Amino acid sequence: MHNKSLSELSASLQSGEFSSVELTQHYLDRINKHNAGLNAFITVADDHALQQAQAADLRLQQKTAGKLTGIPLAHKDIFCTQGLRTSCASKMLDNFISPYDATVVEKINAAGMVTLGKTNMDEFAMGSSNETSFYGAVKNPWDLERVPGGSSGGSAATIAARLAPIATGTDTGGSIRQPASLCNLTGLKPTYGRVSRYGMIAFASSLDQAGPMASSAEDAALLLNEMAGFDERDSTSVERDVPDYTTNLNDSLEGLKIGLPKEFFDDGLDSDVAATIDAAIKMYQSLGATVKEITLPNTALSVPTYYVVAPAECSSNLSRMDGVRFGHRCDDPKDLDDLYFRSRGEGFGEEVKRRIMIGTYALSAGYYDAYYLKAQQCRRLISDDFKQAFNNVDVIMGPTAPTTAFKMGEKTDDPVAMYLADIYTISTNLAGLPGMSIPAGFVGGLPVGLQLIGNYFEEAKLLNIAHKYQQATDWHQQTPEAFK
Ligand code: GLN
């Protein structure tokens, strides 16, 4: 059961080959067997899942089921789920049970999907390795000594080990695409505003965007169909029709113009990863695409710009975690100051504190112009680079990450080395563009992801470009030996 695509699962459920309860139980059994070794889930929602599965079976019997009714999934623990703990992988929210569902969760529930549980992640989505979680690091199913990427590392490990057929993730600077790359998955970060952020615990509000993490482009398209859409509760969500993302999956790529930014193939890129990406590009040429070198001259500014904007926004967003309005409260506070100091001191991990300090500094009077304002100006330069590029090409391609999955602990003492893991993904968030990572091969037994970046609201085109490649290759179908 656990190697079927969403369409196959849907067909089996509709024909009665197995029920949603049976399918859900199958995944719960797999989680039970493998989660201790991977640490991919923070919360497993057995009872909740089986109840949802029963309701789905009823819809299937009554023929009121939709395409995804009865199919299980996992949610990153950043999405508020009514009645289920939502921790954001922080001690701060260890005991937080949301009184409402995030819009994404609400929509997916309405589609009749079954929530298996909440996946591990970097604390408040800050990280590229899933090592900053209060609940411990997640392991990469391809090599248990290596990281799965972050911050959606739990969702990535879950799908790679087939503990769920699909999952949600969020991407502020690469957190869907980079773990997808490191775990051999298809991950899509939609255009900023395409998917509602309501009920998604905010990290950096002008960058955060939710999207599907899947085994294939077709599966990702099916889940995006349910996730996308205007939401009046998110003032930055865009009022624009949601197409059926599966309609154009098979369009021909004849004449597709691919741009390869020279800045994405610089010295920082591992040479074996580069060779894998070259081979993927050749495959696209054989499918009818043409290739041209382009330049995104301000790429080098993206990491420093992001590490002003994201901490600034997070310092503001996380101020609500004060032990009064939200979050962990220290024992026996002496007075109000002591309550704030100790609650926040005890509740937040090291990386989160580092970012709050950087952000508070960058926003403080006297420094605002030098840092935050400057960063906003750089952000404009970065998005103008893309605008220029899309005058000449249909899609931009390159590596998702500079290396394959690195060893646990390898970068934990060097925040800047960790930040550079997102060097190719961050500019997309700064510009608000959609981006994908798709499996493109292996180096030393570890997956390599190819990144596709599209123009605004061109998710359907990206999915088409990804799907055609997946029709011609079988990288995305490879699964780690221990989890077959
Ligand atoms: N790794 C980046 C960071 O730590 C991006 C995280 C994300 O996309 N949530 O900020």
Side-chain angles (χ1 to χ4, degrees):
M1 282 183 196
H2 55 267
N3 286 316
K4 287 182 188 272
S5 68
L6 292 198
S7 287
E8 288 165 344
L9 288 175
S10 178
S12 299
L13 288 167
Q14 311 262 355
S15 72
E17 187 189 330
F18 45 75
S19 68
S20 174
V21 168
E22 285 165 331
L23 181 63
T24 301
Q25 193 58 58
H26 176 75
Y27 278 109
L28 289 171
D29 291 346
R30 284 185 68 79
I31 294 170
N32 205 6
K33 180 161 164 212
H34 294 295
N35 190 46
L38 292 171
N39 199 23
F41 281 85
I42 293 174
T43 302
V44 182
D46 301 73
D47 295 344
H48 179 89
L50 289 167
Q51 271 169 24
Q52 282 188 316
Q54 271 165 8
D57 281 333
L58 206 62
R59 278 177 69 176
L60 285 155
Q61 275 158 24
Q62 294 170 343
K63 310 274 176 231
T64 55
K67 175 96 179 169
L68 300 186
T69 303
I71 297 180
L73 91 166
H75 285 297
K76 184 175 181 178
D77 205 17
I78 197 167
F79 291 97
C80 285
T81 41
Q82 191 174 7
L84 275 182
R85 172 167 64 167
T86 300
S87 74
C88 234
S90 181
K91 180 175 176 183
M92 255 306 167
L93 294 178
D94 183 41
N95 62 3
F96 176 61
I97 297 186
S98 168
Y100 67 94
D101 281 324
T103 297
V104 162
V105 173
E106 194 178 273
K107 285 163 92 79
I108 285 174
N109 283 343
M113 296 188 81
V114 172
T115 302
L116 293 167
K118 308 290 293 290
T119 58
N120 206 342
M121 53 184 281
D122 280 295
E123 186 180 3
F124 287 108
M126 298 174 196
S128 307
S129 67
N130 220 124
E131 291 169 293
T132 71
S133 168
F134 171 62
Y135 303 94
V138 177
K139 295 181 180 140
N140 188 322
W142 290 93
D143 177 344
L144 299 179
E145 288 178 3
R146 290 177 189 268
V147 304
S151 63
S152 313
S155 287
T158 293
I159 308 166
R162 301 295 188 260
L163 308 187
I166 193 155
T168 53
T170 63
D171 191 313
T172 303
S175 280
I176 288 177
R177 290 161 289 156
Q178 185 256 12
S181 173
L182 272 44
C183 291
N184 205 44
L185 304 176
T186 301
L188 168 63
K189 179 202 94 73
T191 307
Y192 183 76
R194 178 74 293 191
V195 174
S196 168
R197 291 182 298 106
Y198 179 78
M200 206 174 98
I201 294 175
F203 163 13
S205 308
S206 75
L207 301 160
D208 298 342
Q209 188 61 198
M213 299 180 73
S215 301
S216 69
E218 190 195 344
D219 285 2
L222 285 165
L223 188 61
L224 186 62
N225 278 349
E226 305 301 338
M227 295 175 77
F230 173 67
D231 179 7
E232 62 185 14
R233 295 174 297 187
D234 170 3
S235 60
T236 59
S237 98
V238 175
E239 206 159 353
R240 188 181 170 113
D241 288 344
V242 180
D244 177 347
Y245 290 106
T246 61
T247 311
N248 298 95
L249 287 176
N250 282 305
D251 287 2
S252 161
L253 301 187
E254 202 60 53
L256 179 80
K257 291 194 269 280
I258 299 175
L260 301 178
K262 65 174 197 281
E263 295 78 7
F264 283 23
F265 295 86
D266 61 3
D267 296 345
L269 180 63
D270 175 273
S271 58
D272 291 329
V273 171
T276 309
I277 299 301
D278 285 347
I281 305 291
K282 292 219 168 60
M283 173 58 86
Y284 273 107
Q285 287 174 301
S286 76
L287 294 172
T290 58
V291 171
K292 126 184 217 169
E293 188 183 89
I294 59 165
T295 172
L296 299 170
N298 293 295
T299 298
L301 295 177
S302 64
V303 171
T305 301
Y306 175 90
Y307 280 98
V308 173
V309 174
E313 294 184 13
C314 94
S315 72
S316 162
N317 277 324
L318 296 187
S319 64
R320 72 191 66 155
M321 312 282 168
D322 56 8
V324 178
R325 289 170 296 176
F326 286 96
H328 165 82
R329 180 179 294 187
C330 67
D331 289 335
D332 304 322
K334 276 202 316 284
D335 54 27
L336 188 62
D337 280 346
D338 187 44
L339 170 80
Y340 288 147
F341 281 131
R342 283 202 291 124
S343 298
R344 288 170 69 82
E346 292 165 13
F348 289 131
E350 209 175 293
E351 181 61 25
V352 175
K353 285 180 188 160
R354 182 180 296 125
R355 304 236 185 154
I356 291 173
M357 287 192 289
I358 297 171
T360 307
Y361 180 83
L363 289 179
S364 55
Y367 293 110
Y368 180 91
D369 288 355
Y371 295 105
Y372 193 72
L373 191 68
K374 201 68 177 174
Q376 294 293 26
Q377 289 164 343
C378 292
R379 189 171 182 176
R380 172 54 60 95
L381 294 176
I382 291 163
S383 55
D384 283 351
D385 283 356
F386 281 109
K387 201 162 163 191
Q388 198 66 36
F390 282 119
N391 286 333
N392 303 309
V393 299
D394 303 313
V395 64
I396 294 171
M397 291 191 190
T400 304
T403 63
T404 54
F406 45 92
K407 284 245 162 82
M408 295 214 176
E410 193 177 312
K411 298 186 201 280
T412 39
D413 294 333
D414 186 350
V416 175
M418 189 71 92
Y419 297 169
L420 289 172
D422 296 314
I423 179 121
Y424 305 131
T425 50
I426 273 179
S427 49
T428 317
N429 300 75
L430 289 166
L433 292 164
M436 273 187 95
S437 181
I438 60 172
F442 291 82
V443 169
L446 296 169
V448 173
L450 171 74
Q451 186 174 204
L452 320 176
I453 301 170
N455 213 337
Y456 297 104
F457 297 100
E458 290 196 337
E459 289 79 8
K461 187 189 267 181
L462 289 182
L463 287 159
N464 161 226
I465 295 169
H467 180 72
K468 290 300 271 188
Y469 180 79
Q470 293 181 343
Q471 297 303 101
T473 59
D474 66 356
W475 302 119
H476 65 293
Q477 284 166 342
Q478 310 297 318
T479 53
E481 208 45 51
F483 301 95
K484 284 208 185 296

